[in-house]
Amino acid sequence: MPRAIEIHEPAEITSPVVFASPHSGRVYPADMMARAQVDGQVLRSSEDAYIDLLLGAAPAFGAPFVTTEVPRAYVDFNRAADELDPALIEGAPRAGLNPRIASGLGVLARVVSNGRAIYRGKLPLAEAERRIARYWVPYHAGLGALIEAQRARFGQVLLCDMHSMPHEALSGYTARGGARPDIVVGDRWGASASGGVVEQIEEVLREAGFRVARNAPFAGAYVTQRYGRPSQGMHAVQIEIDRALYLDERRVEPLPDFEGFRQLMARVIGQLAALPLAPELDTGAPDLAAE
């Protein structure tokens, strides 16, 4: 069975930054495969494949990073535990106006890319509760404890929640005549991180040669909503990397120059880990859910 959480810490923590990859797990449990009506390659299309490998340099720069073996299609750590999809889970309460659930991407996903249904029929509520207790709860307990420890140690903490986005997700930019971004930084429209911190992040990314956009089309989801409290010294951003930069999306395999991209990202991680989260930075953003 997959491990719910893996925390990689340096010998000495010298950075107030925490890096996390909640969607790069690729150990598919047998019970899921027995119920699935799509093959493993289709399931893997929902992964932020190999983002965990791109974060491997973080401890060398004094920063911890968090990952998991649990696939996003099995349990999604970027969703609230109560985001249960009644179209998938027998006995789940009817959801309100929640676009993530409506699209089939609740805490237990109903679909993968292109809206393909994962399972034949529904899952029992007891199965959803078992997955949440076994995987979701320990992941967030571990991540939350690490973030609190970082804030206690440094006075402030920055969570960089790292993801990858399908190349086609950015097609709207070129359709409107705009430059397609390589990376989207989401701060929930200013609610999950101070403007000064986000500007520093964007500067690091641009200096590395990336085209950067903010909040569109990805502003951040549950993780940034839960842990982003800038007025309390807790900054959280969701960083989405275009998969086409390092991944063969059809095969879900690294491109031939993956190692070169990994080295570029290692330099970026080093610079992000060194960001000065000084108390005098603007931390006046409201603690609001800016979905």
Side-chain angles (χ1 to χ4, degrees), residues 167-183:
H167 187 68
E168 65 183 18
L170 304 172
S171 58
Y173 277 87
T174 53
R176 295 192 301 268
R180 178 193 294 264
D182 301 309
I183 293 179

Side-chain angles (χ1 to χ4, degrees), residues 11-92:
E12 180 183 3
I13 296 178
T14 58
S15 169
V17 181
V18 174
F19 296 92
S21 175
H23 287 166
S24 55
R26 45 189 174 271
V27 178
Y28 288 83
D31 66 294
M32 180 182 197
M33 300 310 297
R35 288 186 169 117
Q37 63 179 355
V38 293
D39 62 27
Q41 193 71 7
V42 172
L43 286 174
R44 293 204 66 199
S45 66
S46 70
E47 293 176 17
D48 289 342
Y50 307 112
I51 288 291
D52 55 333
L53 301 186
L54 297 178
L55 298 181
F61 298 105
F65 86 90
V66 176
T67 187
T68 177
E69 292 184 335
V70 180
R72 176 190 188 183
Y74 194 67
V75 177
D76 192 337
F77 300 117
N78 203 20
R79 300 290 183 265
D82 62 357
E83 290 189 85
L84 300 172
D85 184 351
L88 171 66
I89 301 165
E90 193 72 51

Side-chain angles (χ1 to χ4, degrees), residues 199-224:
E199 288 166 9
Q200 288 183 88
I201 292 169
E202 291 175 335
E203 182 178 357
V204 167
L205 295 169
R206 291 192 177 103
E207 286 181 352
F210 295 113
R211 294 186 298 271
V212 183
R214 189 185 301 188
N215 288 320
F218 303 104
Y222 176 74
V223 168
T224 48

Side-chain angles (χ1 to χ4, degrees), residues 62-133:
F65 86 90
V66 176
T67 187
T68 177
E69 292 184 335
V70 180
R72 176 190 188 183
Y74 194 67
V75 177
D76 192 337
F77 300 117
N78 203 20
R79 300 290 183 265
D82 62 357
E83 290 189 85
L84 300 172
D85 184 351
L88 171 66
I89 301 165
E90 193 72 51
R94 293 187 64 83
L97 296 176
N98 185 313
R100 297 188 291 249
I101 294 176
S103 64
L105 297 174
V107 64
L108 271 62
R110 172 166 44 91
V111 302
V112 286
S113 61
N114 297 320
R116 287 171 286 189
I118 296 173
Y119 302 100
R120 304 178 188 89
K122 290 190 173 185
L123 301 177
L125 180 59
E127 169 64 15
E129 292 170 341
R130 182 191 68 83
R131 292 191 197 179
I132 290 167

Side-chain angles (χ1 to χ4, degrees), residues 54 246 254-267:
L54 297 178
Y246 72 94
L255 291 174
D257 192 34
F258 179 83
E259 178 59 22
F261 188 76
R262 188 194 65 78
Q263 292 178 13
L264 172 61
M265 286 303 302
R267 293 192 292 273

Side-chain angles (χ1 to χ4, degrees), residues 236-257:
V237 295
Q238 180 171 298
I239 298 177
E240 297 270 0
I241 303 171
D242 184 354
R243 291 175 188 168
L245 295 174
Y246 72 94
L247 188 74
D248 181 326
E249 292 188 74
R250 185 177 63 83
R251 295 184 174 186
V252 197
E253 293 179 356
L255 291 174
D257 192 34

